[in-house]
Amino acid sequence: MTEVIGLSVGILGAIAACIAAVPVVASWLPVDLSDNEKAILRLAVKYDDYPGIIQYYIEPVVDRVGPCVNSPYKNDYLGVTFEILELRDKGLLTVMDGTHQSRGNAVWYQLTGKGFRIAKSLASTSP
């Protein structure tokens, strides 16, 4: 009887360990990015003034029709749809804390460590 209980506890422990390891193993897998997501990451590291930081405009800016992103205080805009949300879900972007002076209704985002590593590798291999 004791052996059955010990075996049951051992099996449950092994199952719990496998479940707990899923996020760690998932972080080892390469991140699948669309062309627009790659362009946003490249834009975030394009200028040295604000490395790893982008501004996201929900409302149209200048002659843009819809939402767009740019590097802070640069006129290098890139139209977006849902890519910002995808990058946040993938753990590559996070909203910056604090208040930042900017025109319009911009939300400032910064790359996470993982996002910065991917952006740097994309920038070094881009044409």
Side-chain angles (χ1 to χ4, degrees), residues 11-76:
I11 291 172
L12 285 174
I15 292 171
C18 290
I19 292 170
V22 169
V24 174
V25 173
S27 70
W28 298 340
L29 301 174
V31 178
D32 186 33
L33 298 170
S34 69
D35 291 340
N36 282 348
E37 291 170 343
K38 289 177 184 176
I40 292 168
L41 292 177
R42 282 190 198 103
L43 180 65
V45 294
K46 184 174 182 178
Y47 301 104
D48 291 333
D49 300 348
Y50 295 90
I53 298 174
I54 59 169
Q55 290 175 300
Y56 171 58
Y57 294 94
I58 299 169
E59 298 175 359
V61 175
V62 190
D63 60 344
R64 295 287 170 184
V65 176
C68 60
V69 296
N70 78 321
S71 205
Y73 308 110
K74 304 290 182 186
N75 289 323
D76 197 0

Side-chain angles (χ1 to χ4, degrees), residues 31 41 44-45 51-53 87-96 109-120:
V31 178
L41 292 177
V45 294
I53 298 174
L87 290 170
R88 284 183 64 187
D89 288 345
K90 293 174 183 177
L92 305 179
L93 271 183
T94 185
V95 176
M96 287 183 65
Y109 283 92
Q110 68 183 39
L111 296 176
T112 61
K114 183 178 180 181
F116 202 80
R117 283 190 301 274
I118 292 172
K120 280 298 204 181

